[in-house]
Amino acid sequence: MPLFIVVCGILLLFILIVFGKLNAFVSFILVSLVIGILNGMPINEVIESIENGFGNTLGSLVMILGLGAMFGKIIAESGAAQQISFRLINSFGVKNIQLAVMLSGFIIGLTMFYEVGFVILVPLIFTVASSSKLPLMHVGLPLLASLSVAHGYLPPHPGPTAVAILFDADIGKTLIYGTIVAIPAILISGPVLSKIIKKVNAKPLESFMSSKILSSNELPSFFISIFSALLPVFLIGASTITLVFINDENQFFEFIKFFGNPSIALLISFIFSMYSLGISRGESIGSIMKKSSDSIKGVTMVLLIIAGSGALKEILTDSGVSQYIGSLLIDSRLSPLFLGWTIATLIRVCVGSATVAALTSAGILVPIITNTDINAELMVLAIGSGSIMLSHVNDGGFWLFKEYFNVSVKDTLSTWTIMETSIGVIGIIGVLILDIFV
């Protein structure tokens, strides 16, 4: 019965948004109420769960998306994005631009939370696509595939790291095996897929793009451009790597961790870029602030929609649906690796959050495989692959893509959802092949 209620709830969400044309934020609230009440939750607990979902989701994203939008706007309007895009095109050539963005996405994705990498890199991708005269999806999907793979497969991201700890898997081996599986997943789900899917006419939000093309003598230097744009990556990456080699009793531990916090890294980067790309080039603080404020308008509805998806996730978690789905499959005779992938996939479809899907699946499976000879590192990757599968309207990433690229729900399903599903399928295939050799 709980599974039937969830399926009906998700169908209702589709109907309200796609056919009823109802605002996605309102649709999420209505569906969350319906699912919570039908699953037997007391009405007041349903409201509390929805509010907790808002708070838990926005608490970690408001600063990231807000500062990311403001930071991205400075990078775009100052000409830094234009300078970087021209250098990428000149260095790799238009024919190899997908390779450039894939490498950038994977390297940055290793050290950054998905949302941080998204809001920093997507405005650059808009400029690259515009400058190179290439279709936006041709450039965008390879980048997003790299970010998604890093988010779902590899430590130090929260999901893979926590699952590795639960299974007592070696973090280093997980990273090595994950990278092996990641290569075909990115190539197939990025460049190959971008050639196969139907043409989608994406029109990015103007608030995330530069309003003008500058001449070469008006552009900031390449060094200042790349350093300013990647400063949050340097701060987060340096912190992540340093913390691996010191323990929490070290006198500098908290200090290093503070500067590696994504929100703090973006704040520092934003302030630095105000000077390096604005004030030092004669622009007033008032002008910079006006442009930055304009960029915030573009993320307001994005934040509300993601908050709505967080409310639905909280309802499904609090009502016990995730555990119920897992219990249905525990007695299955499937391969433990494929079973982990399947459970993570089902929970991902119902709950929306990749991290929740990964952690819930791990919690279900740890007791089952404790006394087996299943490779723990591969189990982490199998669950990670499943946690990316079939992203749809209950996933915050779905709405980030839709709103930033300014496409319809239908086109988001035919691009983003297919890309995420491709990553998940290639991932489990790669894991099963690796299982033969390791």
Side-chain angles (χ1 to χ4, degrees):
M1 189 64 176
L3 185 58
F4 176 74
I5 293 172
V6 172
V7 171
C8 290
I10 291 173
L11 287 175
L12 176 61
L13 191 62
F14 270 109
I15 292 170
L16 290 175
I17 295 172
V18 179
F19 300 106
K21 306 298 181 183
L22 193 64
N23 177 273
F25 174 63
V26 177
S27 299
F28 271 119
I29 296 175
L30 291 175
V31 171
S32 297
L33 286 168
V34 170
I35 291 178
I37 293 170
L38 291 180
N39 270 312
M41 294 179 67
I43 294 177
N44 289 326
E45 286 189 16
V46 171
I47 299 299
E48 184 179 346
S49 186
I50 290 174
E51 291 175 347
N52 288 338
F54 287 164
N56 293 338
T57 303
L58 291 182
S60 61
L61 284 181
V62 169
M63 285 182 67
I64 290 174
L65 288 181
L67 287 169
M70 296 168 73
F71 176 63
K73 188 66 173 179
I74 290 181
I75 297 297
E77 287 289 340
S78 66
Q82 186 180 329
Q83 176 72 274
I84 293 170
S85 67
F86 286 165
R87 183 63 63 93
L88 280 173
I89 294 168
N90 291 335
S91 299
F92 285 85
V94 174
K95 291 184 178 180
N96 297 316
I97 199 66
Q98 288 183 320
L99 175 61
V101 297
M102 279 191 299
L103 288 173
S104 300
F106 187 71
I107 292 169
I108 291 172
L110 282 174
T111 59
M112 287 189 141
F113 290 111
Y114 182 85
E115 292 84 358
V116 183
F118 186 101
V119 298
I120 289 175
L121 287 176
V122 164
L124 295 179
I125 292 306
F126 292 163
T127 306
V128 169
S130 175
S131 302
S132 62
K133 309 300 181 184
L134 292 171
L136 184 56
M137 291 299 171
H138 180 83
V139 181
L141 286 184
L143 170 82
L144 297 178
S146 296
L147 288 176
S148 290
V149 164
H151 173 69
Y153 290 6
L154 305 173
H157 285 275
T161 303
V163 173
I165 291 171
L166 285 172
F167 284 112
D168 198 24
D170 183 276
I171 297 292
K173 288 183 180 179
T174 303
L175 193 57
I176 293 171
Y177 296 159
T179 302
I180 294 172
V181 175
I183 293 172
I186 294 172
L187 289 173
I188 294 173
S189 305
V192 174
L193 188 63
S194 67
K195 295 177 182 178
I196 296 175
I197 61 173
K198 72 181 185 67
K199 184 178 179 181
V200 173
N201 185 26
K203 297 179 180 178
L205 295 177
E206 292 183 2
S207 56
F208 300 122
M209 297 187 69
S210 175
S211 58
K212 58 184 178 180
I213 299 296
L214 303 176
S215 62
S216 58
N217 62 341
E218 294 177 301
L219 296 174
S221 70
F222 177 73
F223 174 78
I224 289 297
S225 298
I226 196 72
F227 184 79
S228 299
L230 295 184
L231 182 56
V233 181
F234 298 150
L235 291 172
I236 296 171
S239 174
T240 300
I241 293 171
T242 303
L243 292 178
V244 171
F245 298 100
I246 64 175
N247 58 49
D248 55 9
E249 295 179 358
N250 189 290
Q251 59 180 329
F252 296 109
F253 183 88
E254 291 298 328
F255 181 79
I256 295 170
K257 186 177 181 180
F258 173 79
F259 283 99
N261 180 284
S263 297
I264 298 301
L266 277 170
L267 177 61
I268 293 171
S269 302
F270 172 66
I271 293 172
F272 177 81
S273 67
M274 284 177 57
Y275 175 78
S276 65
L277 300 174
I279 295 171
S280 67
R281 302 175 68 226
E283 190 170 3
S284 68
I285 293 180
S287 173
I288 296 171
M289 288 296 98
K290 184 181 184 305
K291 293 175 184 177
S292 300
S293 298
D294 290 341
S295 70
I296 294 296
K297 298 174 184 176
V299 299
T300 303
M301 185 51 65
V302 178
L303 283 169
L304 287 176
I305 291 172
I306 292 174
S309 69
L312 179 58
K313 178 201 73 176
E314 197 77 13
I315 285 288
L316 294 174
T317 302
D318 290 349
S319 64
V321 170
S322 300
Q323 292 291 337
Y324 174 79
I325 293 170
S327 67
L328 295 176
L329 296 172
I330 283 179
D331 296 326
S332 171
R333 294 185 178 180
L334 294 172
S335 156
L337 292 172
F338 189 73
L339 178 62
W341 179 83
T342 303
I343 293 175
T345 296
L346 290 175
I347 296 174
R348 159 73 155 174
V349 170
C350 294
V351 176
S353 167
T355 302
V356 170
L359 292 176
T360 305
S361 303
I364 293 167
L365 288 169
V366 164
I368 300 174
I369 71 163
T370 298
N371 297 317
T372 68
D373 59 353
I374 295 298
N375 186 293
E377 291 77 30
L378 293 184
M379 181 59 79
V380 174
L381 296 176
I383 289 175
S385 299
S387 74
I388 299 175
M389 286 286 292
L390 293 166
S391 167
H392 59 91
V393 294
N394 65 350
D395 176 26
F398 179 95
W399 294 102
L400 270 177
F401 178 90
K402 179 193 177 301
E403 296 300 322
Y404 268 72
F405 283 75
N406 199 21
V407 293
S408 67
V409 169
K410 179 181 177 182
D411 284 340
T412 306
L413 289 168
S414 68
T415 51
W416 167 265
T417 301
I418 290 178
M419 180 198 75
E420 293 282 274
T421 303
S422 172
I423 291 171
V425 171
I426 300 301
I428 187 58
I429 291 174
V431 166
L432 293 175
I433 292 173
L434 269 180
D435 188 43
I436 299 172
F437 302 98
V438 300

